[in-house]
């Protein structure tokens, strides 16, 4: 792994003995393409580029990634691009926009996981956060390991406070915490020492937190919810997924009456390679990578 959290001694090891597989991010590639250093030399020989969770590469971020891939192609020559996603409505169309080339879709109809029991809960007489706390306590009392998703630091801390007041041992996992603390919390949760964990989207993608029985999430679009509940049942066991609606929210009220519509709202992904503001800066960066003709 070579990213912003990689310590200097580890970076030296990677650069002196390049691995077969390098896990990094677009920011690192963007910065190092403009330099003359060993990292640029490593990525100049790349033959495969894998973009996991490609539905995240939309909007302005995706437009930047489009140009970074083009810039990498100038330096490394032709390479194969592979995109992966469990929640994208238009993989071929979006892949061709993002990659700038024709795309073949390889689709898996059924994944390896246990049955997920899905519940949509509406807080009729209490707040949504208190409802989440009570549901999480009930699940932990029945031996479930529970991951609770909030959309902001404030909400995560509030739900964690409610859980503590309900005598549930829980912790918060969010951006801004020291890396060592985040890893300590992840490991304790993986070992089962913590039965309830409240997270912002930091645990939505990519982090292995082991065997998980239940996911509770504040209301969010179905595309991202599928990512969140995909953390559960990965060992083949049956699991529980709960979407917590809000009683002060028109969208929640709508889904209370027509819950089936929630599952139809998978957003098509879109990226705009012709964004002039982004193109201006990316072409300047490309001229630093290697002179433009």
């Amino acid at each position: 792994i070579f990213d912003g959290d990689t310590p200097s001694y580890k970076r030296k090891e990677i650069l002196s003995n390049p691995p077969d597989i390098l896990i990094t991010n677009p920011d690192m590639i963007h910065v190092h393409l403009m330099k003359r250093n060993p990292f640029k030399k490593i990525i100049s020989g790349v033959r495969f580029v894998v973009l996991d969770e490609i539905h995240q590469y939309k909007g302005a971020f995706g437009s930047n990634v489009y140009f970074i891939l083009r810039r990498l192609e100038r330096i490394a020559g032709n390479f194969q691009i592979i995109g992966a996603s469990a929640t994208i409505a238009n993989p071929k169309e979006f892949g061709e926009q993002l990659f700038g080339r024709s795309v073949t879709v390889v689709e898996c109809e059924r994944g390896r996981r246990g049955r997920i029991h899905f519940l949509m809960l509406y807080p009729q007489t209490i707040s949504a956060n208190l409802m989440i706390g009570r549901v999480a306590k009930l699940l932990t009392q029945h031996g479930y390991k529970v991951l609770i998703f909030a959309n902001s630091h404030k909400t995560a801390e509030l739900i964690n406070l409610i859980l503590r007041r309900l005598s549930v041992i829980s912790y918060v996992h969010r951006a801004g915490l020291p890396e060592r603390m985040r890893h300590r919390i992840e490991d304790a949760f993986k070992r089962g020492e913590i039965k309830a964990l409240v997270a912002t989207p930091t645990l939505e993608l990519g982090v292995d937190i082991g065997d998980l029985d239940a996911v509770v999430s504040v209301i969010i679009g179905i595309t991202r919810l599928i990512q969140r509940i995909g953390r559960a049942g990965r060992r083949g066991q049956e699991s529980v997924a709960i979407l917590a609606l809000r009683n002060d929210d028109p969208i929640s009220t709508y889904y209370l009456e027509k819950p089936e519509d929630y599952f139809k709202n998978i957003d098509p992904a879109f990226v705009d390679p012709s964004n002039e503001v982004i193109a201006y800066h990316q072409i300047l960066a490309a001229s630093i990578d290697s002179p433009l003709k």
Side-chain angles (χ1 to χ4, degrees):
I1 299 174
F2 196 110
D3 60 16
D5 290 330
T6 306
S8 58
Y9 79 90
K10 191 66 179 177
R11 293 187 181 205
K12 290 177 182 178
E13 288 180 11
I14 292 170
L15 297 176
S16 62
N17 186 22
D20 295 320
I21 299 173
L22 186 69
I23 303 172
T24 187
N25 56 55
D27 290 335
M28 298 300 290
I29 296 172
H30 163 69
V31 169
H32 288 280
L33 279 175
M34 294 186 286
K35 298 182 177 181
R36 307 291 182 269
N37 61 15
F39 186 89
K40 182 173 182 176
K41 187 175 180 181
I42 290 175
I43 61 177
S44 296
V46 69
R47 289 293 168 261
F48 299 91
V49 173
V50 180
L51 297 178
D52 195 15
E53 315 290 3
I54 62 165
H55 57 274
Q56 297 288 332
Y57 295 83
K58 57 188 178 184
F61 176 49
S63 297
N64 276 293
V65 172
Y66 166 85
F67 281 101
I68 291 169
L69 290 172
R70 300 286 72 69
R71 288 164 53 200
L72 181 59
E73 202 169 28
R74 289 183 70 222
I75 304 301
N78 190 35
F79 49 77
Q80 183 174 357
I81 305 176
I82 301 167
S85 174
T87 52
I88 188 166
N90 54 336
K92 182 173 177 63
E93 176 194 11
F94 179 65
E96 291 179 347
Q97 289 175 351
L98 183 63
F99 302 157
R101 57 176 77 174
S102 61
V103 166
T104 299
V105 177
V106 179
E107 190 170 5
C108 176
E109 292 292 338
R110 184 175 179 182
R112 292 186 302 164
R113 65 172 65 254
R115 175 176 294 182
I116 297 178
H117 301 275
F118 185 89
L119 296 87
M120 214 180 264
L121 299 184
Y122 184 83
Q124 195 74 48
T125 58
I126 59 175
S127 71
N129 292 335
L130 180 56
M131 178 183 72
I132 289 171
R134 289 181 178 177
V135 166
K137 179 178 181 177
L138 187 64
L139 289 167
T140 57
Q141 286 176 335
H142 284 79
Y144 283 71
K145 189 194 293 185
V146 186
L147 178 60
I148 302 148
F149 278 107
N151 292 338
S152 68
H153 291 184
K154 181 179 178 181
T155 303
E157 296 288 355
L158 180 57
I159 292 173
N160 188 57
L161 180 62
I162 290 171
L163 285 168
R164 293 293 182 94
R165 289 178 175 174
L166 293 171
S167 302
V168 177
I169 298 174
S170 63
Y171 288 84
V172 171
H173 187 289
R174 61 173 176 80
L177 294 177
E179 181 191 10
R180 185 177 299 177
M181 182 181 292
R182 292 202 310 270
H183 288 169
R184 191 163 62 241
I185 292 170
E186 291 164 17
D187 291 340
F189 191 61
K190 192 183 297 185
R191 292 192 299 265
E193 296 167 9
I194 300 172
K195 286 296 185 182
L197 188 60
V198 187
T200 55
T202 51
L203 287 182
E204 202 169 296
L205 306 168
V207 180
D208 181 13
I209 47 175
D211 195 18
L212 185 61
D213 304 305
V215 172
V216 182
S217 175
V218 300
I219 185 167
I220 198 168
I222 182 64
T223 303
R224 288 182 62 188
L225 184 77
I226 291 173
Q227 289 296 327
R228 293 181 174 185
I229 65 178
R231 319 295 294 170
R234 290 191 171 187
R235 301 296 186 270
Q237 80 276 29
E238 292 193 27
S239 56
V240 174
I242 295 174
L243 178 69
L245 302 177
R246 298 196 306 262
N247 53 12
D248 58 350
D249 174 41
I251 296 296
S252 293
T253 305
Y254 177 84
Y255 289 138
L256 175 66
E257 300 297 328
K258 297 184 177 180
E260 65 281 355
D261 285 359
Y262 178 76
F263 301 96
K264 301 174 184 177
N265 290 331
I266 297 180
D267 302 323
F270 176 77
V271 65
D272 180 16
S274 62
N275 184 307
E276 292 186 9
V277 175
I278 292 172
Y280 174 81
H281 292 283
Q282 286 288 345
I283 290 171
L284 286 177
S287 70
I288 301 172
D289 301 344
S290 179
L292 293 172
K293 295 180 181 178

